[in-house]
Amino acid sequence: MDKLGSRCPLPSCPRPSALVCFLILAASFLTYPMLRNLTLQLHSTVTGSYVSGTHSIVFANCPNEQIARDIARALLDKKLAASVNILPKAASLYFWKGEIEEVTEILMLIKTKTAKVHLLSSYIRLLHPFEIPEVFSFPMDQGDGHFFKWLEEGVQEN
């Protein structure tokens, strides 16, 4: 009898199929970010200390200040962000449909929980006029504990 079959206590125990193994592996990879975020939140709550990566700063460009303000207010209303800075007149050069474009854009710096970045990004995509809005994030590594506590309170659902 092969090694896998010899480990099974029951003689009629079936061997796991490759599909079952693949599904288990895929589910592990897909749920890792969510489980990591939950573990970080639990650690922060239990120890009272800040865990690097619990919060993120999201960068997003907008074509003008009014659109940036509208998106910022919508994110704050939905509790997807605790704070948004709107920085005027960022020069942007990029390839678009085979051509080099040069425009002036407005940069938004959005502070939120890392666990909300995916939802925040999806919501920006719904509101944004660009076909492919520039939205990306970096986890916050270190900072003032009082700021992180305030940020946490700002994105909590009531």
Side-chain angles (χ1 to χ4, degrees), residues 7 43 47-48 59 63 67 89 91 108 136:
R7 290 185 191 157
H43 181 272
T47 64
F59 293 74
I67 290 172
K89 300 201 187 227
M108 294 191 307
F136 60 92

Side-chain angles (χ1 to χ4, degrees), residues 15-43:
R15 292 180 65 164
S17 71
L19 178 61
V20 170
C21 291
F22 173 77
L23 291 175
I24 290 171
L25 187 61
S28 298
F29 281 118
L30 293 174
T31 59
Y32 172 75
M34 179 183 67
L35 294 175
R36 181 181 181 279
N37 287 333
L38 290 174
T39 303
L40 289 173
Q41 290 174 7
L42 179 62
H43 181 272

Side-chain angles (χ1 to χ4, degrees), residues 21-125:
C21 291
F22 173 77
L23 291 175
I24 290 171
L25 187 61
S28 298
F29 281 118
L30 293 174
T31 59
Y32 172 75
M34 179 183 67
L35 294 175
R36 181 181 181 279
N37 287 333
L38 290 174
T39 303
L40 289 173
Q41 290 174 7
L42 179 62
H43 181 272
S44 291
T45 302
V46 170
T47 64
S49 64
Y50 179 72
V51 175
S52 178
T54 305
H55 300 95
S56 290
I57 187 162
V58 178
F59 293 74
N61 278 346
C62 290
N64 62 54
E65 189 172 343
Q66 188 57 54
I67 290 172
R69 287 179 182 279
D70 292 344
I71 290 174
R73 287 188 180 282
L75 294 173
L76 293 168
D77 286 342
K78 294 278 187 192
K79 299 278 189 186
L80 293 173
S83 171
V84 180
N85 297 108
I86 297 172
L87 306 176
K89 300 201 187 227
S92 296
L93 289 92
Y94 54 89
F95 277 107
W96 183 249
K97 299 184 179 180
E99 300 290 325
I100 296 176
E101 299 286 330
E102 186 171 345
V103 298
T104 300
E105 296 179 315
I106 305 300
L107 176 62
M108 294 191 307
L109 303 178
I110 306 160
K111 279 73 78 182
T112 189
K113 290 169 51 175
T114 301
K116 292 193 175 208
V117 168
H118 182 71
L119 186 58
L120 181 145
S121 180
S122 296
Y123 193 64
I124 289 175
R125 199 178 312 97

